[in-house]
Amino acid sequence: MSSPLQHEPTSRTGLHLDEVRARVVAAAIAAGRAASDVTLIAVSKTFGAIEIEPALAAGQRVFGENRVQEAKSKWPSLRAGRASIELHLVGPLQTNKAREAVALFDVIETLDRPKLAAALAAEMARAGKRPRLFVEVNTGAEPQKAGVLPTVLPAFVGLCRAQHGLAIAGLMCIPPVEDDPARHFRLLAALARQVDVHDLSMGMSGDFEIAIAAGATHVRVGSAIFGGRG
Ligand SMILES: *Cc1c(COP(=O)(O)O)cnc(C)c1O
């Protein structure tokens, strides 16, 4: 019992999953919500098996990636033999990658235009696989940012449902960096009620507790778990 090694965090050095999990639970309880209402998505973009395997060993099952090609190169081997992995696409999706995205991901969070809705509907019908879909909302109406404008959201969700037979499970947003995120999270929650969807993917390393207070069902946390991306 005297080995100094037993006082080290051994194989988990550098992985801050336990701390982030504890903060998610604390934020849920502080908001009067059940901890089980909030899913922690470990955003593993830019990290490889060396960093991801310890998170899998610690029981993490929900991961986020922002690029189709990167996810395709990493996840087929990482998820082999692990049926319970849930992979979320949190980055922009080009129409010509819809087929690969449908094959790879369990949840696509970045549906944001009619052409992509059509492409996903066609691929889902072809593949017989239906990833859950979130619509990305550009809550700050930033010209350079992806996402549907809040004013256009009801019509867009209506088109997805009526024209393409797509079930919309939730909404996702990335607030402008310089703004108070709480305002954007409250807006996304109000929009979700307006278009009658349940899930809210909002909050990253710097603001996930604020998002949980505003009703987030999914928080997307990368650097607070895995460290800086350099
Ligand atoms: C990278 C990324 C995250 C995670 O960001 P961190 O600040 O590292 O937690 C969340 N959402 C999206 C869309 C991302 O691209």
Side-chain angles (χ1 to χ4, degrees):
M1 292 301 286
S2 60
S3 164
L5 281 178
Q6 290 181 340
H7 302 285
E8 299 286 333
T10 62
S11 64
R12 306 276 290 282
T13 310
L15 182 72
H16 298 283
L17 184 59
D18 289 342
E19 294 99 300
V20 171
R21 281 176 169 162
R23 286 171 60 191
V24 167
V25 170
I29 290 168
R33 305 177 58 200
S36 58
D37 284 353
V38 184
T39 298
L40 172 62
I41 304 170
V43 178
S44 49
K45 67 185 185 198
T46 78
F47 293 102
I50 297 275
E51 292 90 5
I52 297 171
E53 286 285 2
L56 288 164
Q60 181 66 26
R61 288 295 175 267
V62 185
F63 290 86
E65 291 285 344
N66 71 332
R67 289 158 170 261
V68 174
Q69 289 314 309
E70 182 185 342
K72 200 181 168 187
S73 74
K74 282 158 47 175
W75 280 97
S77 56
L78 281 167
R79 79 193 299 176
R82 292 180 173 114
S84 55
I85 303 288
E86 182 177 296
L87 203 56
H88 289 235
L89 177 63
V90 300
L93 177 57
Q94 292 171 273
T95 307
N96 64 8
K97 299 251 173 69
R99 180 165 300 187
E100 288 172 300
V102 166
L104 262 171
F105 290 97
D106 305 289
V107 183
I108 294 172
E109 297 203 9
T110 51
L111 172 54
D112 67 350
R113 56 200 192 278
K115 227 184 130 183
L116 184 58
L120 287 172
E123 284 306 329
M124 286 161 67
R126 199 193 57 85
K129 176 172 182 262
R130 304 190 78 80
R132 300 178 71 239
L133 301 176
F134 293 5
V135 172
E136 181 173 356
V137 183
N138 185 356
T139 57
E142 295 172 280
Q144 80 289 1
K145 197 170 268 182
V148 176
L149 291 174
T151 48
V152 178
L153 181 72
F156 180 68
V157 170
L159 173 126
C160 289
R161 288 169 171 157
Q163 202 107 322
H164 301 297
L166 294 173
I168 303 301
L171 304 181
M172 177 271 217
C173 75
I174 308 169
V177 277
E178 70 281 4
D179 270 19
D180 168 17
R183 190 169 70 77
H184 296 271
F185 298 153
R186 286 194 299 267
L187 171 60
L188 199 71
L191 290 168
R193 287 190 292 274
Q194 191 187 343
V195 298
D196 194 24
V197 301
H198 177 268
D199 288 346
L200 285 170
S201 174
M202 55 192 197
M204 316 195 338
S205 289
D207 55 18
F208 67 85
E209 283 132 328
I210 298 166
I212 290 169
T217 62
H218 294 74
V219 291
R220 308 180 308 269
V221 181
S223 50
I225 293 174
F226 294 106
R229 287 180 292 270

